[in-house]
Amino acid sequence: MQQPGAVRWPQGKRGCMALAFDLDGPTGDAMLNGSLWSTPEYFTFGAYGPYRALGRLLDLLRAFQLPATFFVPAWVVEQWPQQCQAIIEQGHEVAYHGYRHESFWAISPEEQRAVMAKSAAIFKQYLGITACGFRTPSGDWHAETPQILRDAGVIYSSSMRGDDRPYSIPVAGHTPLVEIPGKWEMDDYASLAYTRQPDFPKGGDRIASYAHTRDNWQREFDGAMDEGLCLTTLFHPKISGQPGRLLLLEQLFEHMTARDDVWFARCDAVAHWYLQEQQHD
């Protein structure tokens, strides 16, 4: 049901779907604390994403002509530059996701600024781009992070959970930071990840039925589109880009594209549209 005052999407569409993937590779807590280098099992599990799974995902997105945003730690760009360049060549967006998947809530403002500066330099050197988007690796951030992001030239984040529409976060001296909120329900780790060492996420040592997982995602999509909202995903190539799960995504994309009232957009397009059309409403 369209609510009074609901956002108005481009092209007369009812709802907005912004597909997004976190191409983490083997970055994360195990890399940050050094245990990764003595855990080849976990390293290869992460490396499978950019090395093997990413190509399948790009092929599937091309088949459905769907745009997407990939949030990529800069360390992954350094190790797999050709794979990351392929993302851009196929019309998708590459955006910031830390250098080694740091938790921004746990590091100082100076360290956050250093991560952003290093990431920007690597993106420019290896990909030839200046990114405008950011997703905090840990799902939370420091109180000063919005200011740091805007100072670094970032116009939007997809990190918080405060709405199911884009919203603005005021930042002194800048136009607002646009937030494109995610939902844990659309995180493939919640239902499809199984890693014994390291045990992350705690209690996550199970895999849900693929059919039930697809049903959950489709219900979230239908509900959001029926209400004229914006939905994004927190999918990970190393999780969703495996052969059986690619069939799951194929069925999900078939379901999504069966509707003709959805604006499929990269996150940067959503942010630019919001800044032009919605922030003053």
Side-chain angles (χ1 to χ4, degrees), residues 64 66 218 221-222 250-262 264:
F64 282 88
L66 288 171
Q218 290 182 177
F221 172 78
D222 288 339
E250 182 177 4
Q251 293 167 344
L252 176 65
F253 291 173
E254 288 175 348
H255 179 82
M256 290 178 170
T257 54
R259 296 181 63 139
D260 61 3
D261 59 352
V262 178
F264 292 95

Side-chain angles (χ1 to χ4, degrees), residues 110-156:
E110 292 73 21
E111 291 171 319
Q112 293 176 60
R113 291 184 187 278
V115 168
M116 294 304 299
K118 186 171 187 175
S119 298
I122 292 169
F123 275 37
K124 193 69 174 178
Q125 177 184 352
Y126 287 88
L127 304 178
I129 65 168
T130 300
C132 69
F134 170 84
R135 174 172 282 171
T136 185
S138 59
D140 199 357
W141 62 24
H142 193 279
E144 297 188 39
T145 301
Q147 182 74 53
I148 293 167
L149 295 178
R150 286 301 284 116
D151 290 345
V154 170
I155 67 166
Y156 82 87

Side-chain angles (χ1 to χ4, degrees), residues 81-137:
Q82 293 182 336
Q83 286 83 350
C84 294
Q85 186 65 48
I87 298 172
I88 297 170
E89 291 172 353
Q90 297 194 30
H92 306 295
E93 177 191 9
V94 173
Y96 297 125
H97 200 41
Y99 176 62
R100 295 187 300 175
H101 206 272
E102 298 85 358
S103 296
F104 270 49
W105 62 268
I107 60 177
S108 70
E110 292 73 21
E111 291 171 319
Q112 293 176 60
R113 291 184 187 278
V115 168
M116 294 304 299
K118 186 171 187 175
S119 298
I122 292 169
F123 275 37
K124 193 69 174 178
Q125 177 184 352
Y126 287 88
L127 304 178
I129 65 168
T130 300
C132 69
F134 170 84
R135 174 172 282 171
T136 185

Side-chain angles (χ1 to χ4, degrees), residues 237-250:
K238 62 188 175 189
I239 303 297
S240 293
Q242 301 182 37
R245 296 162 185 184
L246 205 71
L247 297 176
L248 187 159
L249 284 186
E250 182 177 4

Side-chain angles (χ1 to χ4, degrees), residues 259-275:
R259 296 181 63 139
D260 61 3
D261 59 352
V262 178
W263 182 44
F264 292 95
R266 303 180 350 178
C267 289
D268 58 345
V270 176
H272 284 297
W273 167 81
Y274 181 87
L275 288 171

Side-chain angles (χ1 to χ4, degrees), residues 37 45 59 71 105 123 130 135 153 156 172 175 194 205 217 220 229 239 244 255 267 272:
W37 310 115
F45 165 69
D59 288 346
F71 296 97
W105 62 268
F123 275 37
T130 300
R135 174 172 282 171
Y156 82 87
T175 55
Y194 182 88
D205 55 344
W217 290 346
E220 292 295 332
L229 306 175
I239 303 297
H255 179 82
C267 289
H272 284 297

Side-chain angles (χ1 to χ4, degrees), residues 7 141 146 150 155-157 160 162-172 174-181 270-271 273-281:
V7 291
W141 62 24
R150 286 301 284 116
I155 67 166
Y156 82 87
S157 89
M160 300 290 109
D163 205 323
D164 32 33
R165 304 161 296 178
Y167 59 95
S168 60
I169 299 173
V171 177
H174 294 286
T175 55
L177 181 70
V178 179
E179 178 61 39
I180 303 172
V270 176
W273 167 81
Y274 181 87
L275 288 171
Q276 293 173 5
E277 305 292 339
Q278 291 291 318
Q279 67 165 324
H280 301 301
D281 286 5

